[in-house]
Amino acid sequence: MEPTVLRDDMVASLEHEMKGLVRSEHVGLALRTVPRHEFVPLEASDGAYSDRSFDHRGTRILSPSTVARLMEALDVREDDSVLVVGAGVGYTSAVLAEIVGEQNVHAVDITRTMVYEARQNLDSSGYGGVFVDCRDGADGLPEYAPFDRILVEAAAIEPPRTLVEQLTADGRLVIPLGGGIQRLTAVERASDGTPDIGREFGTVAFAPLLVDGEQSDTIERNRTTREDREFADRNAQARHGWEHEWIDWDGYS
């Protein structure tokens, strides 16, 4: 079956069968246009238009229903400047590019191999104008700020202050917040620059926002484990007092 037909069926399901996950005309049109099969591994291409996610190189290719929820929560408008934190394979950025234009979409990912793959996928599918860079997502992209919308495809306990500061005055940050139970949350920038947590859009399950040293292609993924090991080695070699030679106190006056 032609990809165009498969995409149309996919979106129709999101609009009608899945409790109206797609409600905005521009979101539905973008999902019908972007060739999702260009963003999934070759071995998974047969299921590119089914509502399922794929694990790929330490990241997750989001299901169409999850992407639809993110788009509706983000509430982007034509010509909005958008930052995506967690570029992954680039699919979400491509959907956004269909709505706001390639030149208005910026994406960062902490994993260098994913940055290369996202660039390749976007270029081969006709969205080469999307900017993708290797950055620590919590730092955002200050040289292109402010942004009308920021989408974080990773969970945090609190909205990163730096990202909030990179919003326009009436901008919106959408991020999964929480430890055990995560809720997709819209955050705005208060007058003093602090996060103003607003509407929630249901529960989600995302991997945590990584810091440098935790990405999948780093030499040591879990810095905490490494530090624990180094501290343990130091403690094992430390002198605790009983190693000292016996002192004959009777010899001292």
Side-chain angles (χ1 to χ4, degrees), residues 14-253:
L14 297 174
E15 289 173 330
H16 305 296
E17 297 174 19
M18 301 190 70
K19 299 180 180 179
L21 289 181
V22 173
R23 300 183 301 278
S24 306
E25 183 178 350
H26 59 276
V27 172
L29 181 59
L31 290 171
R32 283 184 167 92
T33 304
V34 177
R36 188 170 186 259
H37 61 275
E38 297 281 359
F39 295 87
V40 300
L42 183 61
E43 62 273 16
S45 58
D46 290 344
Y49 296 106
S50 60
D51 189 40
R52 55 178 293 197
S53 60
F54 299 98
D55 291 326
H56 177 63
R57 293 186 178 179
T59 191
R60 176 172 293 178
I61 304 174
L62 301 178
S63 66
S65 59
T66 299
V67 173
R69 292 179 64 190
L70 295 176
M71 294 298 106
E72 293 290 354
L74 200 60
D75 190 28
V76 291
R77 294 291 180 262
E78 186 178 357
D79 294 329
D80 275 352
S81 177
V82 184
L83 172 64
V84 179
V85 175
V89 295
Y91 178 66
T92 305
S93 298
V95 175
L96 285 165
E98 274 294 329
I99 302 172
V100 304
E102 298 174 40
Q103 72 282 359
N104 291 322
V105 181
H106 313 76
V108 297
D109 202 290
I110 199 169
T111 304
R112 189 170 299 278
T113 54
M114 295 314 305
V115 169
Y116 293 149
E117 183 162 345
R119 289 173 179 170
Q120 292 171 355
N121 291 340
L122 288 162
D123 188 56
S124 64
S125 57
Y127 303 95
V130 173
F131 179 86
V132 186
D133 200 11
C134 186
R135 301 287 184 97
D136 187 328
D139 294 335
L141 200 61
E143 56 266 50
Y144 288 89
F147 299 99
D148 299 297
R149 297 289 187 269
I150 298 178
L151 174 62
V152 182
E153 296 189 19
I157 301 300
E158 297 178 350
R161 178 68 178 264
T162 303
L163 294 182
V164 175
E165 291 174 345
Q166 292 178 25
L167 285 172
T168 58
D170 58 348
R172 171 181 286 191
L173 165 72
V174 170
I175 181 172
L177 292 181
I181 298 177
Q182 302 171 8
R183 298 188 182 279
L184 189 62
T185 307
V187 181
E188 297 179 352
R189 179 179 178 176
S191 57
D192 62 354
T194 59
D196 184 7
I197 298 177
R199 183 180 173 187
E200 294 181 350
F201 297 86
T203 58
V204 288
F206 279 76
L209 187 64
L210 301 180
V211 298
D212 193 24
E214 295 179 336
Q215 58 267 47
S216 59
D217 60 352
T218 191
I219 295 175
E220 180 62 60
R221 178 176 175 80
N222 191 328
R223 296 187 304 166
T224 301
T225 300
R226 171 184 166 181
E227 289 167 355
D228 285 347
R229 183 172 62 247
E230 290 173 349
F231 287 142
D233 289 343
R234 286 196 213 103
N235 289 335
Q237 297 171 17
R239 300 175 72 90
H240 299 282
W242 50 266
E243 302 97 330
H244 293 281
E245 295 179 0
W246 181 262
I247 299 176
D248 185 5
W249 293 103
D250 293 336
Y252 288 84
S253 58

